[in-house]
């Protein structure tokens, strides 16, 4: 998408919702057939029949699959119960038989898969992406992309070598209001970013819990060793298998699940690839249910060019799971005002006014009030979003890029960058020490040591 195409982007997004997107782009059915591969059905496999897949990714796929000639033909899940549920549900939704695979080896051995949607446990995303691209498949890979730098580097290398289309599930990158915000910042009218406030608060004792499913899972019905992949071996634990978001090293919890969405926009808007440093603090203050990942945290980031420590800005991310209405906040500040992605307004709030500027023999720099709500697609923060417009636009963008072979809105580099920030946050939280990034080694550092587990 061109940087100065907000109006076109908004128009195309609106038209897409009516199912006439190709006409809006100037493609007749005949001309669309001239695009490479346009006449071939794209056969999609499901890697991980998860709650996220069922509640959001599948409805979004179904919004567009007939028009773009995509089909789902197989599901891979290591748990027998979910595999059978997935096979039955997809058969009912799509009207034909679905191949059920016990694992990804079986899935790729069929040789009739063109692309996959990956929504497995957080720590598995990067490794499953490597499997997919090496098998010749494009992927839609849920975030967080990676929870360790070892996995992050390996996946970036594999994807780049494969030249496959990989869309990271950072759906804000397909939101028209986010593109409008990006354009305004890039125009220079906002001025240098000085501070960003991010927050994500809920009050849900059951968030990331799956007690009913945990009771049903038996070790004989799953493949625990395959679940662990490259994580240290430990005895079978159904909670860690199904409630992985609560347990490191299977998930970082808040950084990977929530912060990765918001910090991705910081990278996108600022064109910086990662923080210079991170500190973090928090704890388990409310939900004493055996979890290991915090239910409350604050992380503070320093961003800026690596060759100029006098220039930059601060980012603060706060999150709690015991008091909140799940209305994630993203507010960008400059000396002239703020860009608020909750209200979708650019205003002079807090900007340097005439009186204070005159007292310091300076020029006032107040931002004009602008409303970008006409471009807004509401961020739905729950995992089961029911095919919300933002995720639907993101899924469609991936499907179109599989056809056109153009770079998607959230390419592999976006996932690599948000993973660096997330891993730095985990390192700071778990060590109690400031985390930095070694550009040469591409390693997250705590003191003089690279962070592992």
């Amino acid at each position: 998408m061109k940087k100065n195409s907000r109006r076109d982007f908004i128009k195309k997004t609106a038209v897409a919702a009516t199912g006439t997107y190709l006409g809006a782009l100037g493609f007749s059915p005949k001309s669309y057939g001239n695009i490479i591969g346009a006449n071939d059905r794209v056969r999609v496999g499901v890697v991980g029949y998860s709650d996220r897949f069922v509640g959001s990714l599948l409805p979004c796929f179904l919004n567009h699959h007939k028009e773009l000639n995509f089909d789902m033909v197989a599901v891979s899940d290591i748990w027998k119960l979910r595999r059978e549920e997935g096979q039955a549900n997809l058969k009912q939704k799509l009207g034909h038989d679905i191949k059920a695979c016990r694992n990804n080896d079986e899935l790729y051995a069929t040789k009739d898969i063109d692309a996959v949607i990956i929504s497995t446990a957080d720590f598995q995303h990067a490794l499953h992406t490597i499997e997919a691209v090496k098998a010749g498949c494009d992927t839609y890979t849920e975030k967080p992309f990676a929870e360790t730098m070892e996995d992050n580097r390996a996946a970036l290398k594999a994807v780049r070598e494969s030249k496959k289309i990989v869309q990271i599930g950072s759906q804000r990158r397909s939101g028209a209001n986010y593109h409008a915000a990006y354009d305004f910042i890039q125009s220079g009218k906002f001025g240098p970013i000085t501070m960003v406030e991010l927050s994500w608060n809920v009050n849900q004792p059951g968030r990331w819990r799956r007690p009913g499913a945990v009771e049903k899972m038996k070790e004989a019905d799953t493949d625990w060793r395959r679940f662990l992949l490259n994580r240290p071996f430990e005895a079978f634990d159904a909670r860690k298998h199904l409630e992985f978001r609560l347990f490191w090293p299977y998930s970082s919890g808040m950084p990977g699940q929530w912060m990765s969405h918001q910090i991705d926009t910081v990278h996108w808007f600022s064109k910086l690839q990662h923080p210079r440093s991170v500190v973090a603090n928090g704890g388990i203050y409310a939900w004493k249910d055996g979890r290991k990942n915090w239910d409350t945290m604050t992380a503070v980031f320093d961003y800026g060019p690596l060759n100029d420590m006098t220039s930059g800005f601060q980012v603060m991310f706060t999150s709690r799971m015991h008091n909140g209405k799940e209305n994630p906040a993203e507010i960008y500040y400059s000396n002239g005002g703020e860009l608020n992605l909750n209200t979708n307004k650019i205003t002079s709030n807090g900007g340097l006014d005439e009186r204070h500027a005159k007292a310091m023999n300076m020029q006032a720099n107040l931002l004009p009030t602008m409303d970008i709500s006409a471009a807004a697609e509401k961020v739905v923060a729950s995992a089961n979003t029911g095919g919300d417009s933002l995720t639907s636009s993101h899924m469609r963008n991936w499907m179109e890029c599989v056809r056109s072979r153009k770079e998607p809105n959230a390419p592999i580099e976006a996932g690599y960058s948000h993973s660096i920030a997330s891993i730095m946050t985990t390192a700071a939280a778990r060590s109690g020490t400031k985390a930095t990034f070694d550009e040469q080694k591409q390693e997250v550092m705590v003191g003089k040591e690279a962070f592992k587990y």
Side-chain angles (χ1 to χ4, degrees):
M1 180 173 299
K2 294 180 180 178
K3 294 180 181 178
N4 298 318
S5 59
R6 180 170 71 91
R7 185 173 298 173
D8 288 343
F9 182 86
I10 297 166
K11 178 181 178 182
K12 290 169 186 175
T13 303
V15 174
T18 69
T20 57
Y21 187 82
L22 296 175
L25 287 174
F27 289 129
S28 66
K30 182 178 179 180
S31 65
Y32 186 64
N34 292 329
I35 298 175
I36 295 173
N39 296 321
D40 300 324
R41 178 161 294 184
V42 177
R43 300 159 300 179
V44 178
V46 178
V47 178
Y49 191 73
S50 64
D51 295 340
R52 171 66 177 167
F53 174 79
V54 176
S56 182
L57 302 181
L58 177 58
C60 291
F61 177 87
L62 294 175
N63 285 344
H64 311 293
H65 81 107
K66 289 183 178 178
E67 179 190 350
L68 297 177
N69 199 16
F70 277 62
D71 194 14
M72 283 184 181
V73 298
V75 58
S76 169
D77 199 293
I78 58 175
W79 186 20
K80 182 175 182 288
L81 178 63
R82 282 223 175 119
R83 183 167 64 246
E84 291 175 349
E85 287 178 350
Q87 183 181 38
N89 186 38
L90 293 175
K91 180 178 180 179
Q92 187 271 324
K93 296 283 188 186
L94 294 160
H96 59 72
D97 289 340
I98 301 290
K99 182 175 179 59
C101 303
R102 292 174 300 171
N103 53 55
N104 295 341
D105 290 345
E106 287 190 1
L107 177 71
Y108 298 124
T110 65
K111 303 294 185 184
D112 60 357
I113 304 293
D114 303 304
V116 293
I117 296 174
I118 298 171
S119 60
T120 47
D122 290 355
F123 76 102
Q124 297 173 338
H125 294 160
L127 300 172
H128 285 160
T129 300
I130 293 171
E131 288 180 349
V133 298
K134 286 187 174 181
C137 291
D138 300 317
T139 84
Y140 183 109
T141 301
E142 264 301 308
K143 55 96 228 117
F145 182 60
E147 295 279 29
T148 66
M149 282 307 302
E150 179 183 7
D151 296 346
N152 204 23
R153 291 191 304 269
L156 178 68
K157 182 176 184 289
V159 172
R160 283 179 167 172
E161 288 177 351
S162 73
K163 295 181 169 47
K164 290 297 174 182
I165 300 297
V166 173
Q167 174 90 297
I168 305 300
S170 300
Q171 61 264 29
R172 282 163 170 74
R173 289 196 179 227
S174 290
N177 53 326
Y178 284 89
H179 278 267
Y182 170 87
D183 287 345
F184 187 78
I185 290 173
Q186 295 305 311
S187 73
K189 296 175 183 176
F190 186 68
I193 298 169
T194 54
M195 173 75 183
V196 185
E197 290 182 354
L198 309 173
S199 66
W200 199 308
N201 304 315
V202 304
N203 196 346
Q204 300 170 349
R207 189 65 175 257
W208 303 343
R209 293 291 309 274
R210 302 289 185 272
V214 167
E215 288 181 5
K216 294 176 183 177
M217 177 173 270
K218 308 301 179 188
E219 186 173 5
D221 293 332
T222 189
D223 190 336
W224 175 244
R225 286 184 179 271
R226 190 178 285 268
F227 171 81
L228 292 174
L229 292 176
N230 63 356
R231 293 312 189 253
F233 178 79
E234 63 174 302
F236 171 74
D237 187 329
R239 283 200 69 191
K240 291 176 180 176
H241 200 312
L242 297 170
E243 299 180 347
F244 57 86
R245 295 176 181 90
L246 302 175
F247 301 99
W248 177 259
Y250 310 112
S251 172
S252 58
M254 291 169 166
Q257 279 293 303
W258 295 337
M259 190 195 79
S260 63
H261 277 301
Q262 297 182 320
I263 210 72
D264 177 62
T265 65
V266 175
H267 298 160
W268 180 24
F269 292 175
S270 69
K271 295 191 173 181
L272 294 170
Q273 295 178 335
H274 58 76
R276 291 189 293 212
S277 67
V278 186
V279 292
N281 211 335
I284 302 170
Y285 300 124
W287 308 128
K288 314 293 184 179
D289 56 6
R291 71 182 63 201
K292 298 301 180 184
N293 288 335
W294 292 345
D295 64 13
T296 309
M297 74 168 295
T298 297
V300 182
F301 304 78
D302 172 54
Y303 274 89
L306 300 179
N307 60 356
D308 182 7
M309 298 301 290
T310 66
S311 176
F313 58 93
Q314 187 179 84
V315 176
M316 182 171 69
F317 170 79
T318 62
S319 187
R320 59 182 180 269
M321 301 185 76
H322 46 79
N323 183 291
K325 295 183 178 180
E326 194 154 29
N327 187 28
E330 297 165 78
I331 307 174
Y332 287 74
Y333 297 96
S334 73
N335 194 37
E338 68 176 40
L339 190 161
N340 189 319
L341 282 158
N342 278 64
T343 63
N344 286 302
K345 292 186 186 302
I346 299 166
T347 68
S348 62
N349 289 349
L352 183 63
D353 61 26
E354 292 282 357
R355 181 170 65 90
H356 290 96
K358 187 175 181 180
M360 297 301 295
N361 195 28
M362 298 172 65
Q363 186 173 353
N365 186 31
L366 295 178
L367 292 176
T369 297
M370 292 180 60
D371 189 339
I372 58 172
S373 61
E377 292 173 81
K378 181 174 173 55
V379 171
V380 181
S382 63
N384 302 326
T385 58
D388 64 286
S389 62
L390 200 59
T391 306
S392 186
S393 294
H394 203 53
M395 180 66 72
R396 185 185 183 97
N397 172 253
W398 173 64
M399 295 163 82
E400 290 175 338
C401 289
V402 168
R403 289 265 179 230
S404 69
R405 312 315 291 174
K406 293 180 180 178
E407 183 175 271
N409 287 341
I412 186 66
E413 290 78 12
Y416 187 76
S417 287
H418 85 227
S419 295
I420 294 174
S422 179
I423 295 163
M424 289 176 72
T425 305
T426 302
R430 295 187 64 79
S431 69
T433 303
K434 179 187 287 187
T436 58
F437 190 69
D438 187 317
E439 195 73 26
Q440 199 73 23
K441 298 178 181 177
Q442 292 291 290
E443 284 281 12
V444 170
M445 307 298 291
V446 178
K448 295 182 179 180
E449 299 294 326
F451 174 72
K452 299 300 182 185
Y453 295 119

